[in-house]
Amino acid sequence: MSAEKTAAEIVQAYDGRPIRVMEVCGTHTHAIFEHGIRNMLPDNIQLISGPGCPVCVTETGFIDEAVWLALEKNVTITTFGDLVRIPGTEMSLAGARAKGAKIRIVYSPLDAVNYASEHPETNVVFLSVGFETTVPAACLAVKRAMELGIRNFSLLTANKTMDRAYRVLKGSADAFLYPGHVSAVTGMKIYEELKNEGISGVVCGFTAGEILTALAMIVKKIGSGEPFAENAYTRVVTEEGMPIGRKLIEEIMEPCEAAWRGIGVIEGSGLKLREKYAACDARLVYDMPEIQGRPNPACRCGDVLMGRIKPYECPLFGKVCTTEHPVGACMVSSEGTCSAYYKYNI
Amino acid sequence: MCVGLPAKVVQMKNGTAIVDATGARREISTELLEDVEPGDYVMVHAGIAIAKITADDQTETQELMQGLMS
Amino acid sequence: MDEFITLAHGSGGRKTSELIGSMFKKYFENDYLTADDAAVLPAPTGKIAMSTDGFIVSPYEFPGGNVGKLSICGTVNDLACMGAKPLYLTCAFVIEEGFPVNKLEEIVAAMAKTAREAGICIVAGDTKVAGKGQVDGLFITTTGVGQIVEGVETSGAFARPGDKIIVTGDVGRHGTTILLARDEYGIEANVTSDCAPLWGTVESMIGVTKDLHVIRDATRGGVGTVLYEIAEESRVGIRLERSAIPVQPAVSGVCGMLGLEPLYLACEGRLVIFAPADKADELVSVLRKGKYSADAAVIGEVTEDMPGRVRVRTAIGSETLLPPPGGELLPRIC
């Protein structure tokens, strides 16, 4: 019998107390739907989707800042595709584009540097969102821009790290599916620390077999009542992770407080450019005033992100907030929990 | 939170590599990993290699499950 | 002949005649194309199908074709989907001032070649030149008329529970080709557009059976959009088999990098057919002998339950829903 099938059988045979497993990574949310894994689980295993989609936890004010740069300062915004449709207080970047803003979708922050280098007459800002996985690429972009003396490139940062978020989320779930690609950078040490604080989880990959294996591990371990930290994504995630990448982050960025949409401010959970790299900090370069976003007060993205409610329990879900006309970020991002629930009609 | 794609390194030059994912090729940075060579598999995210990997998730699953069952 | 199109080419004067003579008349030549105000045509018997479509594509040439070829295929395929043999076609050009004449000639030549292959006569046309910046290169609108083969009656509302769903080849090629041709993401792959005129393909199926319930060409929204349209119009459910959907590996690779679903990438030479289950195997085997349908496959079936929904059986045997079509296709990276 295939290992994948064995894993599925272990998960399906689980007859212990009801458990809640939180996948914190948006790509997991996506993969779990795509592989139809939720339908395979017994009733006593509940999968809840946590705040691991960088787009979903990005505050309305960040979009407002980007719109301000694009429309007031006439900069060319370079961004990952998902951010384009996120509603700001007045408009999304797609809305700004319709008003003449220059918005360019890129695959990599390094492409944004190249674009800046090829268009010296254009001021280019990269919208730097993302967790530990994505931060090294953004830092590399800053390093390259500095080395090549490219002066028309800067970052608007909203980067975040996950370790403190787990501590805030403690109690929301019995075990976490830890994000595979974040773990590729961080390594396993942080999960040992979390284990010592009573937080359990398994590092999980993205194929159907990998997700089922991680769930099987949780099912096997949870009975003992002891906290655990396991790696079910060994072909990618090593003990030490990516030391060169972490060193680069350390050199270029420093921790700061960060506002998570719906969750609030988590001390030390954000990353911003160090003073030495002020020339690449869009907020400083363009002398940006403080911009406070005003999200729709009825939007309950925060409760959805914390696993407190299911998307359909939000009063806006499916009525005024749809994938065609999203109100909250969780509906916009294709990784967003609401979007996934809406599209798959669960 | 992070879409990653396993890809094979086909060419290396000063910290950049051309990688191939079933026929789709792109230049990426391998600066943050040590000892990447043509023929290696890497996990690619946002234009950089974030880990050297083995391409075969079947073997991984098998080994993990064997460990779990023993 | 000039090197670039100027406003004078659209003024109706000598330059216009010169362009018509050296270009459109030369390439499109047939008995019905005259200098008169309208084409005079023999009326077909029975029912006719008629369709019109505008073609704007950036870039206007791409591996596997150009906007000219596309403008013929699009309309011919729309007619073919109704079981109509393509007969006559008209075309209207809006050309941006400064457009290279040699490129226009390539486009016109591709139209003529494709029309000949599809067996359709280009019987009338119009040319306008718009000032620089008013259009992006070249827009072509084509209108076609075809004669419906007697006994064939297709409609998006005719899918029935039990029908098998056939796609005539691998999906997402045209969309991928255009995405790569725009070179916005630094990705290279050996992918060519599937753009092709498909009357021959439909004719070969009619040879097997006239009882074809739905034929639709998957264009802009890809095969996924067509499936949701049919599920809605026929009020039926659809169940796909993920492993049966043909996708070229390079297309999968590009989609993997950008987080895109190949079922939602455009095709320009693929039909989705809903046919009675007992005819499906024969249809596929005939299609596989065809020039543009060598990779035809049954990808799923129609169900009575879950009307309006498209389900997918995954590789691990579980079931999930195909996400319904969204708006603009945006690469998903983080």
Side-chain angles (χ1 to χ4, degrees), chain A residues 4-5 8 34-37 40 207-209 212, chain C residues 242 313-319:
Chain A
E4 185 176 286
K5 220 166 165 198
E34 189 180 320
H35 301 310
I37 287 182
M40 300 173 74
T207 65
L212 288 168
Chain C
R242 176 59 81 174
R313 252 171 63 89
T314 69
I316 57 166
S318 59
E319 218 170 68

Side-chain angles (χ1 to χ4, degrees), chain A residues 188-205:
Chain A
M188 292 299 291
K189 190 166 148 251
I190 83 161
Y191 303 121
E192 285 300 321
E193 290 164 13
L194 290 169
K195 183 174 108 178
N196 294 335
E197 294 171 36
I199 298 170
S200 294
V202 174
V203 172
C204 180

Side-chain angles (χ1 to χ4, degrees), chain B residues 43-55:
Chain B
M43 186 58 75
V44 181
H45 169 77
I48 68 164
I50 57 165
K52 270 171 78 166
I53 64 168
T54 52

Side-chain angles (χ1 to χ4, degrees), chain C residues 170-220:
Chain C
D170 62 306
V171 306
R173 279 240 304 264
H174 182 73
T176 306
T177 305
I178 296 301
L179 192 114
L180 295 173
R182 286 183 185 155
D183 196 24
E184 284 168 356
Y185 304 117
I187 301 170
E188 281 174 26
N190 189 9
V191 181
T192 53
S193 172
D194 56 354
C195 178
L198 299 174
W199 167 243
T201 309
V202 171
E203 204 174 21
S204 74
M205 290 193 292
I206 293 173
V208 174
T209 177
K210 289 186 176 176
D211 189 17
L212 299 161
H213 299 163
V214 184
I215 308 175
R216 196 158 281 186
D217 62 333
T219 52
R220 259 174 306 183

Side-chain angles (χ1 to χ4, degrees), chain A residues 3 10 25-27 52 107-108 111 131 133-134 136 140 144 181-182 207 210 213 232-236 242 244 335, chain B residues 1-4 26 29 31-32 34 43-51 53-55 57 60-62 64-65 69:
Chain A
I10 292 174
C25 168
T27 307
Y107 172 68
S108 167
D111 294 351
F131 293 92
T133 330
T134 319
L140 214 47
R144 191 170 292 178
H181 294 149
V182 165
T207 65
E210 285 166 344
T213 303
Y233 198 25
T234 48
R235 72 186 173 109
V236 173
M242 191 211 239
I244 309 175
E335 292 192 3
Chain B
M1 51 194 74
C2 314
V3 173
R26 213 203 110 102
S29 162
E31 287 161 82
L32 304 181
E34 276 176 289
M43 186 58 75
V44 181
H45 169 77
I48 68 164
I50 57 165
I53 64 168
T54 52
D57 67 298
E60 171 201 52
T61 305
Q62 253 157 35
L64 288 166
M65 287 310 296
M69 301 302 283

Side-chain angles (χ1 to χ4, degrees), chain B residues 21-24, chain C residues 176 180 189-191 247-255:
Chain B
T22 65
Chain C
T176 306
L180 295 173
N190 189 9
V191 181
V247 186
Q248 203 184 44
V251 169
S252 293
V254 173
C255 285

Side-chain angles (χ1 to χ4, degrees), chain A residues 1 4-14:
Chain A
M1 192 179 357
E4 185 176 286
K5 220 166 165 198
T6 315
E9 281 177 5
I10 292 174
V11 174
Q12 283 165 339
Y14 176 69

